[in-house]
Amino acid sequence: MEKPICLIENKVNEPLKINQEALQLLQDIQQPVVVVAIVGLYRTGKSYLMNKLAGKNKGFSLGSTIQANTTGIWMWCVPHPQKRDHTLVLLDTEGLGDVEKSNTENDTWIFALSVLLSSALVYNSMGTIDQGALEKLQFFPAFIWAVRDFSLDLELNGHRISTDEYLENALRLKKDSPEKLDLAKKCIRQYFPSRKCFVFDRPTQRKELKNLENLSESKLSSDFVEEVDIFLQYIHKNAEAKVIQGGHVVTGTLLGNLVVSYVNSIRSGTVPCIENAVLVLAEIENSAAVQEAIKYYEDRKERLLKLPTETVEELLQAHSQCEKEAIKVFMARSFNDEGQEYQKQLGKMLESKLKDLCSCNERASLDRCQALLTQLFQDLEKKIARGIYAVPGGYQQFLNDREEPLEKYQRAPGKGLMASRALQDYLKYQEAAAQSILKADRNLTQKEKEAEVERVRAQAAEREAELQRKLKEEVLKMAEEKEKSYEEHERQLIAKMEEDRKNQQLEYERMLSIKLQEVKHLQEEGRRAEAARMQDEIKQLKTEMKEMKEKKPCVIC
């Protein structure tokens, strides 16, 4: 994208609305997305930082008056500067607390959407971290706090401290302080375990701020330029691709579906629910995963296989390879497939594709063989029609003339696995003419004619028996292929479930580490009752971890 576009519109006296053009641009992104959203009071320079994250000086509107310039949520999608095959999605939000807004309720929803959609959330504030700033942050899952125009010394009790220590000190719970004052701190500590803080000097003189986007770095405070560079490096390196419940990595397509789900909830008057959104997304994404896998199977089959095949083994081998890769495509995109409903659906569709493929292969083989038989036997057919063989000794002449096209047919390549069936059918079709020639041949005695009839009948029976034998072999091979298909589905499913289990284990371990750290802080602050409640949560978490380790993976029935 060359420039930002409004993703969610917030107009006066209207509910939030999705810009369909922006949504389509987002849903066209098939790569994993790193989503960085910025929130904070209006006129605090949020857009400047977002432009820098995009590697530009201009893009998101900065504005220079007391009126807020950004309304709703604006989006800018750019290639990630460090993560290969990832897209950096920047979400710039309208400022909170604009006194000119007629619908301040949407402030809350803009804020909530920023939290729900982002993988890294930047809170931009002015001055210092104080109680007023904290009370504006009550439901974060995680955040990076950017403190602008910071003018204090980073010292605590006479010692230098880091910006992160400054943040943690601001979040310390004070003994005997009112519950209301500590609520924001508790929420941030509980819902935002990964915390980072940056402080920025004022970029330039006040009168120059209105022209900030046009100023060269030489005109800006050197401390500010250095601080911005450190901030950008941290975000680009540490902001991860967005994931949802179960550790599933979000693509632009999936993020677009999340936007639709959340905004629809808000417009209907309900609170956006992550669990409900995940269920809806799972249906959408798993259905798409099935279709993508089938399309991959079809495309791969067309490149790999040329019909007709000479043997059923050749056909089944190609199908097996295409099926294996198609299942892999499905597994890569699907998630939260309860009871393997969509994988079973894929299995049935692939089984149907195999049946169709076998039918197409047989049809292609028959068409090729019938065309070849017509071509090779056309001279013989013309002689029969003209009565050339209706003479004494004509039957032997007929057999001699038939031998050459029969040999050419047997030697012809590319006939496919229906070659014998097509020849059998053709000889049956020609049998009436052959019998007629035999009966008219006066050089043969009645006994010789009867012997010839018996010989022809025996040859036909032998050919039919051979066809039935091959048919039984094909049925057995198809049954073996079905079993191999089941085993491949099972193998890939178990591998995916094991990967999901490991991801869940890592998430549990991360949560356990956070809770243990929080217990330590609570004990240090003398919050024994709260520390005890946290210990109960840790006990429950350990129980869940144990159950997950002991749980055996279920497979497709």
Side-chain angles (χ1 to χ4, degrees):
M1 291 173 58
E2 295 183 0
K3 60 182 181 180
I5 185 172
C6 184
L7 175 62
I8 300 175
E9 301 171 356
N10 183 18
K11 295 182 179 179
V12 178
N13 297 325
E14 292 184 18
L16 296 178
K17 181 182 178 183
I18 299 172
N19 178 357
Q20 294 301 316
E21 179 186 356
L23 179 65
Q24 188 60 55
L25 289 171
L26 181 58
Q27 290 182 323
D28 286 343
I29 299 173
Q30 301 298 317
Q31 295 177 333
V33 289
V34 177
V35 189
V36 180
I38 191 165
V39 297
L41 296 176
Y42 81 113
R43 303 264 44 83
T44 54
K46 300 187 302 300
S47 299
Y48 178 83
L49 288 179
M50 297 304 269
N51 287 339
K52 287 298 183 181
L53 282 171
K56 306 289 183 181
N57 290 326
K58 297 182 180 180
F60 292 112
S61 178
L62 268 62
S64 58
T65 70
I66 62 170
Q67 291 180 309
N69 249 40
T70 305
T71 60
I73 297 180
W74 284 67
M75 175 184 73
W76 200 354
C77 303
V78 297
H80 199 285
Q82 293 188 17
K83 291 181 171 62
R84 186 178 178 182
D85 298 327
H86 283 61
T87 295
L88 179 61
V89 178
L90 302 172
L91 300 178
D92 189 14
T93 64
E94 66 179 75
L96 308 175
D98 184 357
V99 295
E100 294 189 358
K101 289 181 185 176
S102 61
N103 185 4
T104 55
E105 179 186 357
N106 279 353
D107 266 4
T108 305
W109 292 128
I110 294 293
F111 191 87
L113 286 169
S114 301
V115 173
L116 291 168
L117 295 173
S118 62
S119 54
L121 186 65
V122 180
Y123 181 72
N124 195 70
S125 69
M126 298 295 287
T128 60
I129 298 176
D130 56 19
Q131 187 64 31
L134 285 168
E135 287 175 353
K136 294 180 177 67
L137 303 172
Q138 292 195 9
F139 300 103
F140 275 173
F143 71 81
I144 299 157
W145 201 319
V147 186
R148 309 294 291 276
D149 294 3
F150 186 82
S151 58
L152 301 180
D153 291 329
L154 285 171
E155 289 187 1
L156 181 64
N157 299 327
H159 298 283
R160 291 287 297 175
I161 58 173
S162 67
T163 54
D164 291 340
E165 290 170 332
Y166 169 63
L167 171 60
E168 291 308 310
N169 183 65
L171 295 176
R172 285 182 65 85
L173 304 178
K174 297 179 180 178
K175 193 174 182 179
D176 301 324
S177 65
E179 180 74 17
K180 183 177 180 182
L181 290 180
D182 279 342
L183 179 60
K185 296 178 182 180
K186 289 180 181 178
C187 289
I188 294 170
R189 285 164 60 156
Q190 181 175 356
Y191 296 115
F192 199 161
S194 173
R195 300 185 284 270
K196 187 70 179 173
C197 182
F198 293 89
V199 298
F200 300 86
D201 193 15
R202 176 173 286 182
T204 186
Q205 298 178 11
R206 185 177 296 276
K207 64 180 180 180
E208 296 289 351
L209 289 176
K210 64 182 180 181
N211 197 36
L212 184 60
E213 63 184 7
N214 295 316
L215 294 179
S216 63
E217 288 192 355
S218 62
K219 296 289 183 69
L220 300 175
S221 160
S222 59
D223 287 343
F224 175 78
V225 172
E226 182 181 355
E227 290 152 359
V228 169
D229 186 54
I230 294 171
F231 170 81
L232 299 180
Q233 289 183 37
Y234 177 85
I235 296 293
H236 288 152
K237 180 180 179 180
N238 294 283
E240 299 292 343
K242 181 168 179 62
V243 296
I244 54 177
Q245 206 171 36
H248 188 72
V249 177
V250 173
T251 62
T253 304
L254 199 52
L255 183 64
N257 291 332
L258 273 174
V259 171
V260 172
S261 177
Y262 290 144
V263 173
N264 284 346
S265 293
I266 293 170
R267 288 173 63 91
S268 66
T270 60
V271 176
C273 173
I274 295 175
E275 287 79 7
N276 290 344
V278 168
L279 290 176
V280 172
L281 291 181
E283 287 188 16
I284 295 172
E285 196 70 356
N286 290 337
S287 293
V290 171
Q291 296 306 316
E292 185 178 342
I294 291 298
K295 183 178 185 306
Y296 180 92
Y297 173 89
E298 291 287 359
D299 293 343
R300 188 79 174 99
K301 179 195 70 178
E302 291 299 321
R303 294 194 301 270
L304 193 64
L305 200 60
K306 183 178 180 180
L307 301 182
T309 61
E310 291 298 326
T311 63
V312 71
E313 289 92 344
E314 183 183 348
L315 180 79
L316 294 178
Q317 184 179 0
H319 164 78
S320 181
Q321 182 176 339
C322 295
E323 180 183 47
K324 180 179 179 179
E325 294 173 14
I327 297 171
K328 189 174 181 179
V329 168
F330 170 82
M331 290 296 185
R333 184 167 183 177
S334 67
F335 75 99
N336 203 30
D337 184 13
E338 293 293 337
Q340 291 77 54
E341 174 187 350
Y342 290 92
Q343 190 179 359
K344 291 175 184 176
Q345 180 181 331
L346 174 63
K348 290 179 180 178
M349 293 177 73
L350 288 172
E351 185 178 348
S352 177
K353 290 291 180 183
L354 175 58
K355 290 179 181 178
D356 291 344
L357 182 59
C358 289
S359 296
C360 288
N361 191 45
E362 291 175 2
R363 184 71 262 167
S365 177
L366 281 174
D367 289 346
R368 166 79 176 118
C369 291
Q370 287 169 355
L372 181 61
L373 288 167
T374 299
Q375 176 189 350
L376 292 175
F377 284 87
Q378 58 183 345
D379 290 341
L380 186 70
E381 295 284 355
K382 289 177 181 178
K383 288 181 178 180
I384 293 173
R386 293 203 305 267
I388 298 298
Y389 302 113
V391 294
Y395 183 72
Q396 188 59 49
Q397 185 182 349
F398 164 75
L399 293 179
N400 294 341
D401 289 350
R402 193 175 68 172
E403 194 62 30
E404 182 181 355
L406 280 174
E407 290 178 359
K408 287 183 177 179
Y409 177 80
Q410 298 290 2
R411 293 196 306 267
K415 296 190 296 295
L417 50 82
M418 298 298 287
S420 297
R421 169 58 64 188
L423 180 60
Q424 175 78 334
D425 290 344
Y426 178 77
L427 293 179
K428 281 184 179 180
Y429 154 77
Q430 202 182 65
E431 189 175 346
Q435 290 295 322
S436 177
I437 294 171
L438 177 61
K439 289 179 181 179
D441 193 337
R442 285 180 244 173
N443 280 1
L444 297 174
T445 65
Q446 184 62 33
K447 189 174 181 179
E448 289 174 328
K449 290 179 181 180
E450 289 174 356
E452 181 61 21
V453 169
E454 189 59 33
R455 186 186 70 81
V456 170
R457 186 177 296 144
Q459 285 183 338
E462 186 178 341
R463 287 194 299 267
E464 186 63 33
E466 179 64 15
L467 285 174
Q468 292 302 319
R469 185 187 65 78
K470 289 183 177 180
L471 181 60
K472 287 181 180 179
E473 286 182 357
E474 290 177 11
V475 170
L476 287 174
K477 287 171 183 175
M478 291 293 290
E480 290 172 4
E481 180 60 28
K482 190 172 183 178
E483 181 64 24
K484 283 172 58 181
S485 173
Y486 173 86
E487 290 172 355
E488 182 61 30
H489 275 275
E490 183 180 64
R491 185 188 68 79
Q492 292 201 34
L493 174 60
I494 291 174
K496 180 179 176 64
M497 293 177 74
E498 184 59 30
E499 182 182 356
D500 290 345
R501 188 202 296 263
K502 288 180 181 178
N503 290 337
Q504 187 65 57
Q505 180 70 19
L506 290 173
E507 181 62 20
Y508 274 136
E509 291 172 357
R510 186 185 72 85
M511 291 169 61
L512 182 61
S513 175
I514 291 165
K515 289 182 182 292
L516 288 171
Q517 187 177 3
E518 186 62 18
V519 165
K520 181 181 177 181
H521 289 161
L522 289 169
Q523 289 171 341
E524 290 173 352
E525 294 163 1
R527 304 273 181 164
R528 294 181 180 178
E530 293 173 33
R533 285 197 294 270
M534 185 64 71
Q535 289 282 17
D536 289 339
E537 292 181 16
I538 290 172
K539 185 178 179 181
Q540 177 61 32
L541 184 60
K542 287 181 176 179
T543 300
E544 292 176 8
M545 292 174 71
K546 183 180 179 182
E547 290 175 351
M548 185 193 67
K549 285 183 178 180
E550 295 174 350
K551 184 179 179 181
K552 294 181 179 180
C554 63
V555 294
I556 299 176
C557 298

